[in-house]
């Protein structure tokens, strides 16, 4: 099987596995205890925080280790709501763990920024949105879309927010481990997730501003300077940091020399598909995207059937959110852009397919994926089963 679902999760990097096993065997003591062995565990934890901080370009004290990116984003929303009762300004492509947690926590609700046909926030409209809405407590825009791979203008948004003294958060879950991350630490708040770049599941982090001494993620114990209670997942932390460091070495710090051949392999697969199936729409085609992601809209097909068909051809891919118009939820990116702007008939079904590669995915893998997409889409689509009763 060829795996094309890295935006959902990635296999454990060998360096992460080694670090995890070593930590589980040698540093299993509670880092908050007072014994010499616990002190050694605590030192490992703080060393990992420093190493991650180096890669993100921020001070180590700003990093809180969390159980996942979802936990980090939920805690951030609660914290922002507690600090100020305003509203959040978000992109419409945020992962539900940002969109839903801000909508639930903030009394002023959520305002969405306009996006272009690629799903990229329109920078020239941001100032207007910020001028029209009072009490903006935070602006949160993801660094790269999990559905389309489109890169959002987080650097410009950060500058814009800074000039207005509005805190800026970016969910960089899909960026970290794929592109250089050393400038991301400039954001006031930053979220990452270990399992998207070869770390284990169940470990993530949230970077908070230096001045946030009273951040409360989970309450209870004094861990992480009282800002995130709960015994730290030291094997998870060490494995996550080891995975990111190993990737940085293997890719010469996510250099364009490492990225370019992979981007070209994706682009060639995209060209093959579009040449054979001109009705297929490539999301984000005309803008900067992650080198690993290819998101396709296939008119007249059901995304889940396409994914099942691809698996029969040896390709593991995914769909966006389910997508037959009228009966199922629309993929977030398509809803944000608007089906009409993409040229999709609103009364006809369409399916979404997302292929997302890893560093080890080869040009041959991409070619096989393109051939499988062409085969599966060319097969006559069966009507969806009607369930009675
Ligand atoms: N944010 C984005 C952009 C994601 O793609 C995901 C996972 O798909 C998450 C957050 C949630 O990450 P986690 O699995 O660590 O909770």
């Amino acid at each position: 099987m060829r795996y094309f679902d890295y935006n959902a999760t990635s296999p454990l990097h060998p360096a992460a596995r080694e670090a995890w096993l070593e930590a589980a065997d040698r540093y299993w003591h509670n880092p908050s205890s007072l014994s010499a062995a616990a002190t050694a565990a605590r030192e490992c934890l703080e060393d990992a925080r420093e190493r991650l901080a180096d890669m993100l370009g921020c001070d180590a004290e700003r990093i809180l280790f969390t159980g996942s990116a979802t936990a980090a984003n939920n805690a951030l929303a609660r914290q922002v709501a507690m600090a100020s009762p305003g509203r959040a300004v978000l992109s419409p492509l945020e992962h539900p763990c940002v969109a839903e947690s801000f909508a639930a926590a903030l009394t002023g609700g959520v305002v969405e920024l306009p996006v272009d046909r690629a799903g990229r926030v329109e920078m020239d409209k941001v100032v207007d949105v910020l001028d029209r809405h009072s009490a903006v407590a935070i602006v949160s825009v993801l660094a790269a879309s999990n559905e389309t791979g489109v890169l959002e203008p987080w650097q410009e948004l950060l500058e814009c927010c800074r000039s207005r003294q509005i805190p800026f958060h970016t969910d960089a879950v899909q960026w970290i481990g794929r592109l250089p991350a050393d400038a991301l630490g400039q954001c006031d708040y930053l979220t990452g997730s270990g399992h998207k770049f070869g770390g284990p599941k169940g470990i993530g982090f949230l970077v908070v501003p230096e001045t946030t001494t009273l951040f409360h993620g989970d309450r209870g114990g004094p861990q992480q300077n009282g800002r995130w209670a709960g015994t730290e997942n030291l094997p998870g932390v060490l494995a996550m940091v080891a995975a990111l460091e190993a990737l940085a070495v293997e890719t010469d710090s996510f250099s364009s020399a490492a990225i370019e051949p992979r981007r070209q392999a994706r682009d060639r697969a995209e060209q093959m598909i579009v040449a054979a199936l001109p009705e297929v729409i490539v999301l984000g085609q005309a803008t900067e995207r992650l080198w690993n992601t290819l998101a396709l809209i296939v008119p007249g097909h059901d995304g889940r059937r396409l994914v099942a068909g691809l698996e029969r051809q040896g390709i593991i891919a995914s769909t966006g959110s389910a997508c037959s118009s009228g009966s199922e939820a629309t993929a977030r990116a398509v809803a944000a852009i608007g089906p009409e702007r993409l040229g999709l008939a609103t009364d006809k079904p369409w399916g979404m397919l997302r292929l997302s590669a890893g560093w080890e995915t080869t040009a041959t893998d991409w070619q096989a994926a393109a051939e499988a997409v062409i085969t599966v889409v060319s097969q006559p689509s069966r009507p969806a089963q009607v369930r009675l009763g």
Side-chain angles (χ1 to χ4, degrees), residues 7-8 68-71 73 95 97 142 144 146 171 173-174 192-193 195-196 203:
N7 288 10
S68 62
T70 298
N73 290 339
H95 190 276
C97 71
L142 78 182
N146 48 305
D171 174 341
V173 161
Q174 299 290 346
S193 172
H195 73 100
K196 304 289 182 175
I203 184 74

Coordinates of all heavy atoms in Angstrom, one line a residue, residues 7-8 68-71 73 95 97 142 144 146 171 173-174 192-193 195-196 203, ligand 1:
N7 N -1.5 14.2 6.1 CA -2.1 15.4 6.8 C -3.0 14.9 7.9 O -3.3 15.6 8.9 CB -2.9 16.2 5.8 CG -2.0 17.0 4.9 OD1 -0.8 16.8 4.9 ND2 -2.5 18.0 4.2
A8 N -3.4 13.6 7.9 CA -4.2 13.0 9.0 C -3.2 12.6 10.1 O -3.4 12.9 11.3 CB -5.0 11.8 8.5
S68 N -2.3 17.3 23.0 CA -2.6 17.3 21.5 C -2.7 18.8 21.1 O -2.8 19.7 21.9 CB -3.9 16.6 21.2 OG -5.0 17.3 21.9
A69 N -2.8 19.0 19.8 CA -3.1 20.4 19.3 C -4.5 20.7 19.7 O -4.8 21.9 19.9 CB -2.9 20.4 17.8
T70 N -5.4 19.8 19.7 CA -6.8 20.0 20.0 C -6.8 20.6 21.5 O -7.5 21.6 21.7 CB -7.6 18.7 19.9 OG1 -7.6 18.3 18.5 CG2 -9.0 18.9 20.3
A71 N -6.1 19.9 22.4 CA -6.1 20.4 23.8 C -5.5 21.8 23.9 O -6.0 22.6 24.6 CB -5.3 19.4 24.6
N73 N -5.5 24.2 21.5 CA -6.4 25.2 21.0 C -7.6 25.4 21.9 O -8.1 26.6 22.0 CB -6.8 24.8 19.5 CG -5.6 24.9 18.6 OD1 -4.6 25.6 18.9 ND2 -5.7 24.2 17.5
H95 N -9.3 24.6 11.6 CA -9.7 23.2 12.0 C -10.8 23.4 13.1 O -10.8 24.4 13.8 CB -8.4 22.6 12.6 CG -8.6 21.1 12.9 ND1 -9.2 20.7 14.1 CD2 -8.3 20.0 12.3 CE1 -9.2 19.4 14.1 NE2 -8.6 18.9 13.0
C97 N -11.1 22.3 15.9 CA -10.7 22.5 17.3 C -10.3 24.0 17.6 O -10.2 24.4 18.7 CB -9.6 21.6 17.6 SG -8.0 21.9 16.9
L142 N -4.8 29.7 10.6 CA -3.8 28.6 10.5 C -2.7 28.9 9.5 O -2.9 29.7 8.5 CB -4.5 27.3 10.2 CG -5.0 26.9 8.8 CD1 -5.8 25.6 8.9 CD2 -5.9 27.9 8.2
A144 N -1.0 26.6 7.5 CA -1.3 25.9 6.2 C -2.5 25.1 6.4 O -2.7 24.5 7.5 CB -0.1 25.0 5.9
N146 N -5.1 22.1 6.4 CA -5.0 20.7 6.4 C -5.8 20.1 5.2 O -5.4 19.0 4.8 CB -5.6 20.1 7.7 CG -6.9 20.7 8.1 OD1 -7.1 21.9 8.2 ND2 -7.9 19.9 8.3
D171 N -2.3 28.3 14.1 CA -2.3 26.8 14.3 C -1.4 26.3 13.1 O -1.8 26.3 12.0 CB -3.7 26.3 14.1 CG -3.8 24.8 14.1 OD1 -2.8 24.1 13.9 OD2 -4.9 24.3 14.3
V173 N 0.0 23.3 12.8 CA 0.1 21.8 12.8 C 0.5 21.2 11.5 O 1.3 20.3 11.5 CB -1.3 21.3 13.3 CG1 -1.5 19.8 12.9 CG2 -1.5 21.5 14.8
Q174 N 0.1 21.8 10.4 CA 0.4 21.2 9.1 C 1.7 21.8 8.5 O 2.2 21.3 7.5 CB -0.7 21.4 8.1 CG -2.0 20.7 8.5 CD -1.9 19.2 8.5 OE1 -1.0 18.6 7.9 NE2 -2.9 18.5 9.1
G192 N 1.3 23.3 17.8 CA 1.9 22.2 17.0 C 1.4 20.9 17.5 O 1.0 20.8 18.7
S193 N 1.6 19.9 16.7 CA 1.2 18.5 17.1 C 2.2 17.5 16.6 O 2.5 17.4 15.4 CB -0.2 18.2 16.4 OG -0.5 16.9 16.5
H195 N 2.3 14.2 16.2 CA 2.0 13.0 15.3 C 1.9 13.4 13.8 O 1.9 12.6 12.9 CB 0.8 12.2 15.7 CG -0.5 12.8 15.5 ND1 -1.3 12.5 14.4 CD2 -1.2 13.8 16.2 CE1 -2.4 13.2 14.4 NE2 -2.4 14.0 15.5
K196 N 1.9 14.7 13.5 CA 1.9 15.1 12.1 C 3.3 15.1 11.5 O 3.4 15.2 10.3 CB 1.3 16.5 11.9 CG -0.1 16.7 12.6 CD -1.2 16.0 11.8 CE -2.5 16.2 12.5 NZ -3.6 15.7 11.8
I203 N 0.7 14.1 21.9 CA 1.6 15.1 22.4 C 1.6 16.3 21.4 O 1.6 16.1 20.2 CB 3.1 14.5 22.6 CG1 4.0 15.6 23.2 CG2 3.6 14.0 21.3 CD1 3.7 15.8 24.7
Ligands
LIG1 N1 -5.1 21.7 13.6 C1 -4.9 21.3 12.4 C2 -4.7 22.2 11.3 C3 -5.0 19.9 12.1 O1 -4.9 19.5 10.9 C4 -5.2 19.0 13.2 C5 -5.4 17.5 12.9 O2 -5.8 17.1 11.9 C6 -5.4 19.5 14.5 C7 -5.3 20.9 14.7 C8 -5.6 18.6 15.7 O3 -4.4 18.0 16.0 P1 -4.3 16.8 17.2 O4 -4.6 15.5 16.5 O5 -2.9 16.9 17.7 O6 -5.4 17.2 18.2

